[in-house]
Amino acid sequence: MELVLTRSQLMRWRAAVFAIFLASGLSIATWASRVPAIKIALDVDNIQIGLMLLGAGIASIIGLSLATVVLARFGARSGMLGAILVFAVGVALIGVGTDIAHSFVIVVGGLVLFGLGNGAVDVMMNVEGAAIEKQVGKTILPLFHAFFSFGTVIGAGLGALAVVLGLNVLVHTSVMAVLLVVIAFATHANVPAREITMDPADEAEKRHWRERLHTALSAWREPRTYALGIIMLGMAFAEGGANDWLALGMVEGHGSTQALGALGLTVFSVSMTVVRIFGGPLVDRFGRVATLRVLAALATGGLLLFILAPNIPLVFVGAALWGAGVSLGFPLGMSAAADDPAKAAARVSAAATIGYISFLCGPPILGFISENIGLLNTLYILVGLAVASGLASSAAKPIAGSVVGAGHPHKHVENADRP
């Protein structure tokens, strides 16, 4: 049954989902901005930080997998409330483990809850965003993702402020956890209840799901899936690496203060957000392939500048270029995967899996390697992946017969990548 809402209800629903995207970004930046302080407080090395991130990454993948079950059983309204509460508790527990218990295990436990909740809410908030798009008849999902970036910008900025004010990790994460709980209940009141039904006993439904499984598996046998995967892997790896290691890289690699490290993450996040908001016209004008190539070059140059810069101002410039360069790799890869409507679901699912695993599991790998060769030297891995992403960009060229851009319904593939 189609959902019927008044304009006021629709606006409140949209605002609520904007806030949920923002809350997810807030939680991630809260952790990322305090990594240097957590490392000092617990007296751990980069390998142990990597293990923390690995725990969060594995939990996030579990959350991604469980989200479909939660949606079917409880619906997005209750599911998102539960998921936000889970990662809010995780954020608070990180502070408890750092400054009260001084326990590596408790911090890992907090990161597991943090990852589990964020992984689950990621799927559910995107489902809600797509449902809102259908209601309003406009493409607004990229703007939802920009609000996630707003969350990372605000979270990183608040992290820098907390360091300047001398707030320990416990006070900082406790305040943020309370804010996340407030957002959870405020948004719950404005998300409409929508039923998602499945009848597993229905034979036609069983056949339908078997066909969908076959189609989904076939996407993994297509070379284009892996070429798009390289684009998304490189950019998602570089984005995730910045979220978890940029601040620490400035502190350990360039001798900056913790406050400057958190500010560097803010610069990265602001740059990424700006390009996500205003990058659409560039794609419409120059096409996906050219845009991805330019952005890969920016990411490569930014990373090299961040690694090699002789002073802090140039490090900030490198962080800004790094953020701009990785901003559109994931969404444009998803867009390319969805070119053929008949196979869009399977291809998007496969591409998203590659991207999310790279985003979640890449940073821990960097931690393990950095303990042997140093954090800044480890970032050369991201340089190589950014170059590979640029070289694979031709895979994002629209396929024959597809339509490019929701805002240009008559702009066909023949002109899509022509300046």
Side-chain angles (χ1 to χ4, degrees), residues 283 286-295 332 390 392-398 416-417:
V283 179
F286 298 106
R288 285 195 299 247
V289 174
T291 303
L292 284 169
R293 285 173 177 165
V294 170
L295 291 179
L332 291 185
S393 295
S394 59
K397 184 175 182 179
D417 279 295

Side-chain angles (χ1 to χ4, degrees), residues 31-59:
W31 147 257
S33 65
R34 300 313 299 265
V35 170
I38 293 168
K39 181 178 180 181
I40 292 172
L42 297 182
D43 191 24
V44 295
D45 57 26
N46 286 351
I47 291 179
Q48 289 168 297
I49 294 288
L51 287 172
M52 292 180 184
L53 296 173
L54 183 61
I58 293 172

Side-chain angles (χ1 to χ4, degrees), residues 23-282:
S24 181
L26 271 175
S27 70
I28 290 172
T30 297
W31 147 257
S33 65
R34 300 313 299 265
V35 170
I38 293 168
K39 181 178 180 181
I40 292 172
L42 297 182
D43 191 24
V44 295
D45 57 26
N46 286 351
I47 291 179
Q48 289 168 297
I49 294 288
L51 287 172
M52 292 180 184
L53 296 173
L54 183 61
I58 293 172
S60 296
I61 293 170
I62 293 172
L64 288 168
S65 302
L66 291 177
T68 303
V69 178
V70 173
L71 276 171
R73 177 65 180 84
F74 300 104
R77 184 186 189 192
S78 297
M80 290 190 295
L81 172 64
I84 297 172
L85 293 178
V86 167
F87 69 68
V89 171
V91 168
L93 199 57
I94 290 169
V96 171
T98 301
D99 289 320
I100 294 181
H102 302 289
S103 169
F104 176 83
V105 173
I106 291 177
V107 173
V108 170
L111 282 166
V112 167
L113 293 178
F114 163 85
L116 187 68
N118 263 301
V121 85
D122 192 284
V123 173
M124 291 184 277
M125 67 188 185
N126 277 286
V127 168
E128 289 296 280
I132 292 170
E133 276 193 338
K134 185 176 180 181
Q135 288 283 322
V136 302
K138 296 179 181 178
T139 301
I140 59 172
L141 200 55
L143 190 56
F144 283 117
H145 284 270
F147 268 76
F148 172 85
S149 296
F150 288 149
T152 64
V153 171
I154 295 169
L158 290 176
L161 180 63
V163 174
V164 170
L165 294 177
L167 300 180
N168 63 19
V169 177
L170 174 65
V171 173
H172 179 200
T173 57
S174 297
V175 170
M176 296 306 297
V178 170
L179 177 59
L180 293 171
V181 169
V182 170
I183 292 174
F185 283 103
T187 55
H188 178 260
N190 292 287
V191 174
R194 297 187 298 120
E195 292 185 1
I196 301 175
T197 59
M198 289 188 298
D199 182 3
D202 188 284
E203 288 300 321
E205 187 70 9
K206 288 181 180 179
R207 288 194 299 272
H208 170 69
W209 283 104
R210 282 197 294 268
E211 290 170 0
R212 289 191 64 180
L213 178 60
H214 180 268
T215 302
L217 292 175
S218 69
W220 290 99
R221 296 194 292 268
E222 298 173 355
R224 187 171 183 260
T225 296
Y226 294 96
L228 291 175
I230 291 173
I231 297 172
M232 297 175 69
L233 182 149
M235 294 308 178
F237 210 122
E239 181 183 347
N243 287 334
D244 289 311
W245 295 108
L246 189 151
L248 191 60
M250 288 188 65
V251 172
E252 293 191 348
H254 291 289
S256 76
T257 64
Q258 290 185 23
L260 285 176
L263 186 59
L265 179 62
T266 306
V267 169
F268 171 90
S269 300
V270 168
S271 179
M272 185 171 62
T273 303
V274 168
V275 177
R276 282 181 171 171
I277 294 172
F278 299 107
L282 292 175

Side-chain angles (χ1 to χ4, degrees), residues 238 242 246 249 253-254 268 295-323 325-326 375-388:
L246 189 151
H254 291 289
F268 171 90
L295 291 179
L298 283 178
T300 302
L303 276 159
L304 288 172
L305 185 58
F306 183 88
I307 296 167
L308 300 171
N311 55 59
I312 295 299
L314 285 178
V315 172
F316 280 121
V317 174
L321 294 175
W322 181 358
V326 303
L375 191 49
L376 291 184
N377 286 334
T378 301
L379 295 182
Y380 282 113
I381 295 172
L382 301 185
V383 174
L385 290 172
V387 171

